[in-house]
Amino acid sequence: MKISFYPIFIGIYELPDPWKHSKLFTKFVSEQLKQKPAAQKQAKPLKLRDAVLVNVALDTLFSVSKIVGIELKYIDWDAKTIFAPKSKTDQSGEGFYG
């Protein structure tokens, strides 16, 4: 249940209720509520680099901290594996394959 403090504020300060005493206010608010929201802008398409990073993250299940350290020399195209030399969770410092 939503509690509105607006009527309490009006009652405490003994102000006239605009909903009851002002037709202009009532008309303004109802017109504002009837207006449709502006159309949302469509997101920009991913660049090739971004799409590749997303695919690498999904395919290898690597986190961002692992993907950041990847260089081209760590990618084995024949075996289809990627070596991540470091990450936040790698206690031994051996790296991970994905």
Side-chain angles (χ1 to χ4, degrees):
M1 181 174 144
K2 185 177 179 182
I3 299 173
S4 175
F5 294 103
Y6 184 69
I8 296 170
F9 177 78
I10 289 176
I12 290 172
Y13 289 101
E14 298 177 0
L15 299 171
D17 188 358
W19 291 101
K20 295 178 183 174
H21 300 290
S22 175
K23 291 182 181 179
L24 184 61
F25 175 78
T26 305
K27 184 176 180 181
F28 171 76
V29 171
S30 62
E31 289 297 322
Q32 290 294 318
L33 293 174
K34 287 180 187 176
Q35 289 182 357
K36 293 181 180 179
Q40 295 180 354
K41 294 180 181 178
Q42 186 171 358
K44 294 179 182 177
L46 290 176
K47 295 180 181 178
L48 180 60
R49 175 186 63 95
D50 298 334
V52 168
L53 288 173
V54 168
N55 284 333
V56 167
L58 292 174
D59 290 344
T60 60
L61 299 177
F62 281 174
S63 62
V64 174
S65 63
K66 293 176 188 169
I67 292 176
V68 169
I70 295 175
E71 298 176 14
L72 282 176
K73 63 183 178 183
Y74 298 132
I75 300 174
D76 186 354
W77 300 102
D78 297 328
K80 298 183 180 178
T81 59
I82 297 177
F83 177 71
K86 54 187 165 184
S87 75
K88 293 188 312 185
T89 59
D90 186 14
Q91 300 293 329
S92 62
E94 297 175 5
F96 294 95
Y97 282 96

